[in-house]
Amino acid sequence: MTDVEWRWMRGWSKNEVSALLERAATLPLNFEETEEQMTLDRGWSQVESQAVIARDRPGPPSGDDAFDRLKHAVIHYGFSDPRIVHAHFDASTPLEGRPVLLELKSVGPHYLCPVRIGAVRDEDTEGRTVFGFRLDTLWGHIEAGREWFLLSKDHGSGELRFHIKAAWREGHFPNWWSYVGFELMGRRYQRAWHHLSHARLRGLMRTGHLERHPEAEELSHVEVGLKSVRFYSQKALGRRLSGTEREVERVRRDKLLTTVGFGVLAGMRTFSAPALLSHQLSREPVEAPKGRAHALASRRTSRVLAVLAAGELVGDKLPWTPARISPPSLVARALSGALAGAAVAAPHQRLSAGRALLGAAAAVASSFAFYKLRQLATRRLGLPNVVAGLMEDALVVTLGGRLLAAMR
């Protein structure tokens, strides 16, 4: 069980939000690492985007200018598109240490995730003014990590830039299907939210529709950023529309496809997936999951699984071997896919039920698919069973090599 607040296709009343904000003020962080420790090799994904929002007159901010307007918008989370993330907070509380509830909206479920403003930057250094804050996730958030939102002005050029930088990994989920949905759609929502954040700030500067500064004509000299931009990740229409100037997205090695891949491998050969994974983890035990599954990193376990996998390659060609879709065999392959699929997705963590279910499902689907392909090869194409089995073995080796390369 988790303490994640969620509802189906509806939000929370003001009274409910107020009570939950009071509770959020007492919640601990849902991670222990420092910012310096949030690296890719420690299991933390990183995403970054920045864009020139506008150009104002050169020189430091005057206190009632474009930088001030954008600063007000950033403090009040005005850059966030409320269709994706809506922030609930008490603006009368001090900025640093302020609890915030982020209502994450997807197709169906809404999640109310607690964060705290853990640090604030407000400084002038080397001809640049920088203002921003950092959100730290709390217990009950579906993600874990830290995220910076920084607004800067270059005194020489008058350039106003907005920068978002985060280190994150999965947090707590109320159920397995929420986790699967996050894995399938989370990064798409994340990218869209980044793009729209820059676009919203440009729109605020263009129209002047800021609560504190309704008179847009007062800043008619400000040039809103519209020039063509360069991209540092895959191209997408959303980036062109929002004008995101730089985006770097680096995802840790336990991608969704790796889990599926090990599940497919288990469906082809029961012991191939855990044997290959154990071989890799025995060489790099630091990548092994916590709990009992850490035994996969043992050299002894690796050797035992290698012998079982080799024996299976021989037994697969024997005429009296049961079909892989017989109930006992199918259950074994599903368990193998669940173990390998969850273990490869959990470096330094405990196994995830969502990833285990995904690995098992991939193993079952793979079992039926390759059973039919084996029948096609032997009955309709006339290939001897041994030849068809050796062809499948070659595919197992090829897929296994790809999966190991993806883990390195």
Side-chain angles (χ1 to χ4, degrees), residues 58-367:
S62 64
D64 189 20
D65 54 6
F67 183 87
D68 189 49
R69 292 189 177 190
L70 288 172
K71 179 179 176 180
H72 178 261
V74 170
I75 289 175
H76 289 82
Y77 221 69
F79 54 86
S80 180
D81 192 312
R83 295 172 298 177
I84 301 176
V85 181
H86 179 70
H88 302 273
F89 56 89
D90 181 357
S92 65
T93 58
L95 186 61
E96 187 165 0
R98 174 185 295 173
V100 180
L101 294 174
L102 300 181
E103 185 176 347
L104 311 185
K105 304 177 182 180
S106 62
V107 180
H110 290 205
Y111 304 92
L112 200 61
C113 300
V115 297
R116 180 180 298 125
I117 297 181
V120 175
R121 286 182 61 183
D122 192 358
E123 58 195 41
D124 286 283
T125 177
E126 299 181 356
R128 181 178 294 271
T129 298
V130 179
F131 173 82
F133 58 85
R134 188 192 72 210
L135 292 183
D136 300 340
T137 58
L138 305 176
W139 184 263
H141 199 301
I142 63 173
E143 291 184 349
R146 291 187 162 107
E147 188 162 27
W148 275 102
F149 304 95
L150 296 171
L151 175 67
S152 65
K153 180 180 181 181
D154 184 276
H155 299 170
S157 64
E159 180 181 271
L160 301 172
R161 183 180 292 269
F162 187 54
H163 185 188
I164 305 173
K165 185 176 182 179
W168 66 274
R169 67 186 180 197
E170 289 87 354
H172 311 114
F173 289 88
N175 42 58
W176 66 266
W177 52 264
S178 290
Y179 179 83
V180 172
F182 179 84
E183 288 295 320
L184 293 174
M185 301 297 296
R187 293 188 183 105
R188 178 177 297 181
Y189 276 95
Q190 188 181 60
R191 292 189 193 99
W193 181 79
H194 271 254
H195 304 153
L196 289 170
S197 294
H198 300 297
R200 279 175 61 82
L201 288 182
R202 285 185 168 182
L204 290 171
M205 290 306 304
R206 187 179 299 111
T207 63
H209 290 165
L210 292 173
E211 181 180 342
R212 191 171 150 202
H213 299 283
E215 302 86 0
E217 62 273 14
E218 289 185 3
L219 295 179
S220 57
H221 61 278
V222 174
E223 297 179 9
V224 177
L226 292 174
K227 71 174 186 178
S228 58
V229 297
R230 294 192 303 164
F231 309 107
Y232 295 85
S233 59
Q234 69 181 69
K235 296 180 180 180
L237 179 62
R239 294 193 186 97
R240 295 193 181 94
L241 292 179
S242 67
T244 302
E245 186 172 275
R246 179 172 178 264
E247 180 181 276
V248 179
E249 185 175 18
R250 295 174 288 174
V251 180
R252 66 182 187 277
R253 291 187 290 261
D254 59 327
K255 294 182 179 179
L256 184 67
L257 289 179
T258 308
T259 294
V260 174
F262 273 95
V264 170
L265 203 60
M268 299 170 73
R269 296 288 183 269
T270 308
F271 291 104
S272 59
L276 282 170
L277 180 59
S278 183
H279 169 73
Q280 178 64 21
L281 293 180
S282 67
R283 299 172 61 186
E284 297 184 30
V286 70
E287 292 295 317
K290 293 181 179 179
R292 294 182 179 179
H294 190 81
L296 287 171
S298 162
R299 291 187 180 275
R300 182 178 180 181
T301 301
S302 177
R303 288 193 291 267
V304 170
L305 288 173
V307 171
L308 291 173
E312 185 182 21
L313 292 180
V314 175
D316 174 74
K317 318 300 185 297
L318 301 178
W320 56 79
T321 300
R324 72 186 73 192
I325 61 171
S326 63
S329 180
L330 197 61
V331 169
R333 291 168 194 263
L335 291 175
S336 174
L339 173 62
V344 75
H348 327 295
Q349 305 172 49
R350 294 194 176 275
L351 299 189
S352 158
R355 284 295 181 95
L357 184 66
L358 186 61
V364 171
S366 170
S367 297

